[in-house]
Amino acid sequence: MALRWAVFGLAALLLNFPVIATAVTAFKAPGEVTRNPSLWIEEPTLANFAAVLTASDRLNIYHHLGNSLVAALIGAVLPLVVAFPLAWAMVRRGVGRGVLFPVVVNLRALPLIIFAIPLYMMYAAAGLLDTRLGLGLVLAVVNLPLAVLLLVNAVGDIPAELEEAARMDGARLPRLLLRVVLPLCRPAFVTAFVFGFITAWNEFLFGLILTTREAVPVTVGASFFFATAGGGVQWGMAAAVMVVAALPPLVLGLVMYRRITGSVMAGAVKG
Amino acid sequence: MAEIRLEGLSKAFGAHRVVRDVSLTVADGEFCVFVGPSGCGKSTLLRLIAGLETASAGRILIGGEDVTDREPYDRHLSMVFQSYALYPHMSVRDNIAFALRTARMPEREVARRVAEAARILRLEGLLERRPAQLSGGQRQRVAIGRAIVREPKAFLFDEPLSNLDAALRADTRVEIAALHRTLGATTIYVTHDQVEAMTLADRIVVLREGRMVQTGTPRDLYERPGDVFVAQFLGSPRMNLVPAAAEAEGVRLAGGARAFAAPWARGPLAQVGVRPEQCRIVAPDAGLVAGLVRASEYHGSALHVVVETAGGDRLSVLAPPDLSLREGEAVGVDFAPEAAHPFAADGTRLQGG
Amino acid sequence: MRSRAFENAVLASPLVLFLLAILGFPALLSLVYAVSETTFRTLTAPRFVGGANFAAVWADGAFWRAAWFSLRFGAITAVLQCALGLFLAVYLYPLIRRHGWMVAVLIVPMIVAPAMMGLMYRLVLHEFVGPVPHYLYLWFGWSPAFLSPANVFATVVAAETLQWTPFAFLLFLAAYGAIPQDLREAAMVDGTRPWRLFWRIELPLMMPTVFVALFVRFIDGFRVFDNIYTLVGAGPGGATTSLSIYIFETFLRRAEIGKAMAAAVLLFLASTLLFVAARALVLRGREGRG
């Protein structure tokens, strides 16, 4: 057992090393960062966070966080809305089983760059370039396969007798879906939302290509902050930016870590 | 409440014909039991009436109205499912009230009816619980409560007791019978259990391979089964069947020592059925047939004796429990000629029997 | 029955319309642009050039180097992640069964944005401020140049592996936990020792998951962009140009829109082909194990 604990400790340290090191650096004073690269902080300070959280011309973190939040919410919720009725029709009536289901599920396997460029063209024409809505819509596509998979599984797990009971109780389709099927799929909705929100928040490529100023998400904003730092990167501040940017999905993911396990499984079962 | 009428009802899944040309009228207020072995089409027939399956041919009339093409929610029936099908995300109260709220009944009326149903089924203390927090018997009562609260045109039960243990099953059976007396509602009840069928039904419909084999009161079916299938399906231990032939002096069982007189002793007779409780163990040469004791099981109230004749036929006999028999002992089996059921070679009952 | 068909259409329409709008239309566009010459100035007036863009991509050595990079990167990282993930899942299972929180600690990397992870590696590998070179100097008096042309491939492979091993780990953890306990007990009563138990009973039972994990991780490695791009960009001398990065650079940096589109179409075809092949492999693996 002791050896197992040691292996766990080593794995935890190794896998999380960049995160730990970044978090440590974020608490170092600017002078200390270059002088002391170790994981030990001589004079812990919140100065970096204070600087990051004080919006400036160079980096308005709230603007980026807001963009990420709105786009990630659209990207996490919209797939659930469009996938739910279809998932039911698919399970109970076989709608779209032959073509739609494989097409949607296999979207997951395609390199996102394939969509990014034609989307750029379309967004340019539709006025969606550099908007939160535009970014959210494409993030919804990214999350669609998992939403469909999870909801199809969830509906399939509902005993048919339960729906028959509801029909005998006089429920027509809308009431059946909203009052019986929807509440029973709640765990799947939560799982898909958690994973979808994290995926959407963490997305980088679409933010890079489809936004320029107004709707830049925090992943892209943070990388700009690195790139544009004249006269060398201010490492302490850069680390603080990353901590702030990584915090929302981390908190959500750690509180709901069991959901992550569930979504990874669901995604893998259907390959 | 209403009468339910089936006219030439059939259902096929692909080439597989599950229900074949069933015509039947269940009278208003009648308790009708569909019984048969698994795969006989009884559940499908019930689901056709419920509207959960669409008929391939024939008509369904409820209260004189043709509902064949209507959705379940337009037929005004209630159904109790084998798995109970309680909504797991709703409290007992909401489960029972669901149908009423679906019908947009005023909330005061909903509350009154739920309270009434809860009183009848002794669910008052459980109304705020979730189904997962209930025992099997309690769930069963909630399922019934959900059905009665709507005051439907008829109740449908699909093997409602098969998920309960033996003791609870007997209790619930009595409760369902009492409930039917109180409500006087038209009821169709599906089961594979002949005891449920016998004890609950005003009328039993025996089904086999999608066809109606015989219909009548439990007493009719038990005392005058129309063929060997019905004869053996109802009653436990099941009816003995012994090859027999009509001779000049009467009926002789295969290997039988003597013949007995019967009005139906004529040509087509091929086998005679007799129920175990109507047989007696007698001295080897005193019975209608002789044989060796192959097993004797002590059941407390009776001794279940299996006798094998020289021809290899086995007969069950319910004997008094104080009788003592050794295995291999030679005995005779006797019964009154009136207790015998005559069947032709194709299994149908002979006229006059 | 007509009403049921109508119902089905209504139920399916939100998703279908959404997909058509966001993917169907752009897919058409990409086909148009792939056979046209366009710049950002002439976006609305593409000039038809036939297969010229495809020919240009086909003849571009950088494209083939990127393809080779992506294939190699996907395969190597998939194998490493699965090996490490399998080891961690099986070895730590007895502990994790009693301490569920351990899972949360180990899956942190996959909750961090890959782009952020790339930036974090820039920090930890930095020769002056990075803890990794610092400790290597401190303990061994030596540290490699992680981002030099010679080492950069190993570096990005390591970064990708460490970030996504948790994914494989989670899959294997679930698969290992799903093996019926009485199977292990039966084997142990029969005198099977732990090593043999793993190789002869547990691993064969987990093979379907192994195939799935390899497949999923390969797909993700093959299409890699974020973490490599934020860590080293196209890399020294284009050493870390994956197909995704190649297309991105062709599009935004060099503004060769038609060529980028043609490459994207080729990548789409290649991905589909790989997907179908890998899927067949996974399915065969599953069948083989019942």
Side-chain angles (χ1 to χ4, degrees), chain A:
Chain A
M1 279 301 140
L3 189 58
R4 283 201 165 90
W5 279 110
V7 166
F8 167 68
L10 192 66
L13 188 69
L14 193 65
L15 295 176
N16 293 317
F17 191 80
V19 180
I20 297 168
T22 304
V24 166
T25 307
F27 289 98
K28 287 180 186 169
E32 185 181 337
V33 172
T34 42
R35 183 162 42 79
N36 166 29
S38 78
L39 291 181
W40 178 254
I41 311 171
E42 287 164 7
E43 292 166 67
T45 170
L46 290 173
N48 294 318
F49 289 100
V52 168
L53 296 176
T54 317
S56 67
D57 289 345
R58 229 181 105 205
L59 176 82
N60 183 345
I61 191 92
Y62 300 105
H63 177 65
H64 293 310
L65 288 174
N67 289 339
S68 281
L69 182 70
V70 172
L73 281 177
I74 296 173
V77 173
L78 187 61
L80 297 175
V81 175
V82 299
F84 175 65
L86 179 76
W88 183 83
M90 208 175 261
V91 171
R92 296 292 179 215
R93 297 182 179 172
V95 175
R97 239 179 215 298
V99 178
L100 202 53
F101 186 73
V103 164
V104 171
V105 170
N106 295 352
L107 279 182
R108 236 162 33 103
L110 293 177
L112 299 176
I113 188 86
I114 293 173
F115 309 127
I117 299 174
L119 271 172
Y120 179 92
M121 311 292 188
M122 187 179 89
Y123 275 19
L128 285 170
L129 268 188
D130 204 17
T131 63
R132 293 166 167 185
L133 175 65
L135 186 57
L137 285 176
V138 59
L139 295 177
V141 176
V142 175
N143 283 328
L144 196 58
L146 190 71
V148 169
L149 265 178
L150 284 169
L151 290 179
V152 162
N153 289 350
V155 174
D157 285 344
I158 299 175
E161 276 200 350
L162 213 55
E163 291 188 18
E164 289 170 356
R167 288 169 72 199
M168 293 303 293
D169 274 349
R172 279 148 211 278
L173 192 54
R175 187 169 164 85
L176 174 73
L177 288 180
L178 293 178
R179 288 307 172 86
V180 178
V181 181
L182 185 79
L184 290 172
C185 291
R186 216 179 69 175
F189 274 100
V190 175
T191 302
F193 175 81
V194 169
F195 203 80
F197 184 87
I198 292 172
T199 306
W201 181 284
N202 287 347
E203 219 291 319
F204 176 72
L205 180 60
F206 289 122
L208 193 60
I209 294 181
L210 300 179
T211 67
T212 44
R213 268 175 59 91
E214 295 308 319
V216 174
V218 72
T219 44
V220 177
S223 71
F224 284 177
F225 182 77
F226 255 91
T228 58
V233 179
Q234 294 181 29
W235 290 103
M237 256 182 91
V241 169
M242 284 189 277
V243 169
V244 171
L247 218 49
L250 259 183
V251 170
L252 185 66
L254 288 184
V255 171
M256 304 275 212
Y257 74 92
R258 288 200 173 80
R259 303 287 184 175
I260 306 272
T261 317
S263 56
V264 166
M265 289 312 297
V269 170
K270 296 276 160 68

Side-chain angles (χ1 to χ4, degrees), chain A residues 3-4 15-16 21-22 37-39 93 106 108-111 117-118 121-122 141 202 204 235 249 257 269-270, chain C residues 7-8 22 25-26 43 91 100 105 109 111 120 124 126 131 135 162 223 226 247 251 257 271 275 279 286:
Chain A
L3 189 58
R4 283 201 165 90
L15 295 176
N16 293 317
T22 304
S38 78
L39 291 181
R93 297 182 179 172
N106 295 352
R108 236 162 33 103
L110 293 177
I117 299 174
M121 311 292 188
M122 187 179 89
V141 176
N202 287 347
F204 176 72
W235 290 103
Y257 74 92
V269 170
K270 296 276 160 68
Chain C
E7 261 177 18
N8 291 349
I22 301 290
F25 185 60
L43 263 187
Y91 190 69
V105 173
I111 310 176
M120 289 177 181
V124 295
H126 192 274
Y135 283 109
L162 291 178
R223 62 184 192 176
D226 302 6
I247 294 173
F251 176 68
I257 297 177
S271 305
F275 186 80
R279 198 179 163 75
R286 261 189 213 162

Side-chain angles (χ1 to χ4, degrees), chain B residues 236-275:
Chain B
S236 170
R238 56 190 207 159
M239 181 187 277
N240 296 306
L241 282 178
V242 188
E247 296 178 355
E249 61 270 43
V251 178
R252 188 189 295 274
L253 301 181
R258 58 184 169 83
F260 61 91
W264 33 264
R266 55 177 192 272
L269 179 72
Q271 45 195 340
V272 160
V274 60
R275 298 208 177 268

